[in-house]
Amino acid sequence: MSEEIDLGEDFLDEEEGELFEHHRIVVDKKQSPVRIDKFLTDRLPNTTRNRVQDAIRDEFVQVNEKAVKPNYKIHPDDVITVSLPEPPRDTEVVPENIPLNIVYEDEHLLVVNKPAGMVVHPAFNNWSGTLVNALTYHFQQLPEMKGNEGRPGLVHRIDKDTSGLLVIAKTELAMNSLAKQFFDHSIERTYYALVWGVPEQEKGTVDVFLGRSLKDRRVTTAFPDGDFGRNAVTHYEMLKDLRYVALIKCNLETGRTHQIRAHMKYIGHPIFNDATYGGDRVVKGTIFTKYKQFVDNCFKLIPRQALHAKSLGFIHPATKEFVQFESELPEDFTSVIDKWEHYLQYN
């Protein structure tokens, strides 16, 4: 009998741009004490107590700008703010004949190299053209993790505008084994990133809590005091010093939403052309117009965050042997590196 695994936040983080229902409730002065989960269930349309409790645990509900527990009893004049992720439209995935770049395949799993611009699974505003639509067309009977129906084969994801490797489960054995390895943080994941500025140390570790921004739930932010969020650890190594930018290698010890992007911003080196985290403007360099035009031309070469999932290593679910897969940097990534090297040579 297969083991069911509670993967929590590390499994299939939500897509960027997911629609939220926003509510703000000021508790009446005559309101008697009552659990907040019951209070909200009675007042919010088309919702269930379980959905409210999940939202509270995920800190989508705040009372007087602070997170609370489901058993919190409300008081008169409490100000309750609620952001509920919209439930999936349905779990039916329409198969689409979209080509896949398959790096490896056997009877248990496959490894694909996802291009930048492809969403991993259907979500609000992206119901078609996703990796899952393609997988459903090319492969039948892919397993689904409980609680993540409509996402066959998936055990992890990367952002729409991040390129690189993902492993897909073809059997229940592979699904459970890989999911457990991700949950245990034993999967080896290496990313290449082009960041603004040159880190003072060639090697380093960012060990700072990350969580949803209290101002914008679509953004991940650092909480250095550890008062919010969850533990997140990123190891980085500089591969190329390009004066105003640097090519770095990042190894993930944990797998939080936007971990590398948020950690690099926190240490003052946002990823090149990362609009969400401040990398889509001139962060380092001169004030001359010629330089600004050069940077704009670089942005046009790689019109997305310069982040690539370079390698993936794990214990094969069937053979129990360690396997590792590599991918080349895509053309937009190598082109912008070449352009920076050329600029430094003649300036």
Side-chain angles (χ1 to χ4, degrees), residues 136-293:
T136 307
Y137 178 88
H138 294 287
F139 301 94
Q140 285 72 46
Q141 307 285 308
L142 290 177
E144 294 181 339
M145 182 64 66
K146 183 179 179 181
N148 282 286
E149 291 79 8
R151 298 170 178 178
L154 293 191
V155 288
H156 68 130
R157 63 171 288 273
I158 57 179
D159 294 327
K160 171 185 176 181
D161 290 325
T162 298
S163 54
L165 299 180
L166 293 102
V167 58
I168 308 298
K170 295 174 67 176
T171 64
E172 292 287 348
L173 170 68
M175 174 70 76
N176 285 297
S177 173
L178 292 169
K180 184 66 164 61
Q181 290 181 64
F182 273 103
F183 183 70
D184 291 339
H185 306 307
S186 60
I187 299 277
E188 293 188 10
R189 288 169 287 174
T190 300
Y191 288 73
Y192 276 20
L194 188 68
V195 299
W196 278 107
V198 178
E200 292 183 5
Q201 298 178 331
E202 290 192 3
K203 294 183 179 181
T205 297
V206 187
D207 187 352
V208 177
F209 272 52
L210 294 177
R212 296 180 186 280
S213 168
L214 302 180
K215 297 179 180 179
D216 186 347
R217 307 295 288 184
R218 296 168 299 178
V219 176
T220 296
T221 191
F223 294 96
D225 295 332
D227 48 349
F228 289 100
R230 302 177 73 191
N231 179 50
V233 181
T234 304
H235 306 285
Y236 69 87
E237 176 183 352
M238 186 170 63
L239 302 177
K240 191 170 291 190
D241 179 343
L242 297 171
R243 192 188 303 170
Y244 302 125
V245 296
L247 178 66
I248 64 170
K249 177 174 69 174
C250 295
N251 290 97
L252 297 182
E253 196 169 303
T254 53
R256 312 305 180 202
T257 305
H258 299 178
Q259 178 170 318
I260 295 174
R261 300 166 67 187
H263 268 167
M264 290 302 107
K265 178 184 179 180
Y266 173 73
I267 65 173
H269 299 285
I271 293 177
F272 191 78
N273 210 11
D274 188 343
T276 303
Y277 294 93
D280 61 338
R281 57 184 176 84
V282 175
V283 178
K284 302 288 184 180
T286 71
I287 60 173
F288 299 120
T289 301
K290 181 181 177 182
Y291 175 74
K292 292 180 180 178
Q293 290 176 341

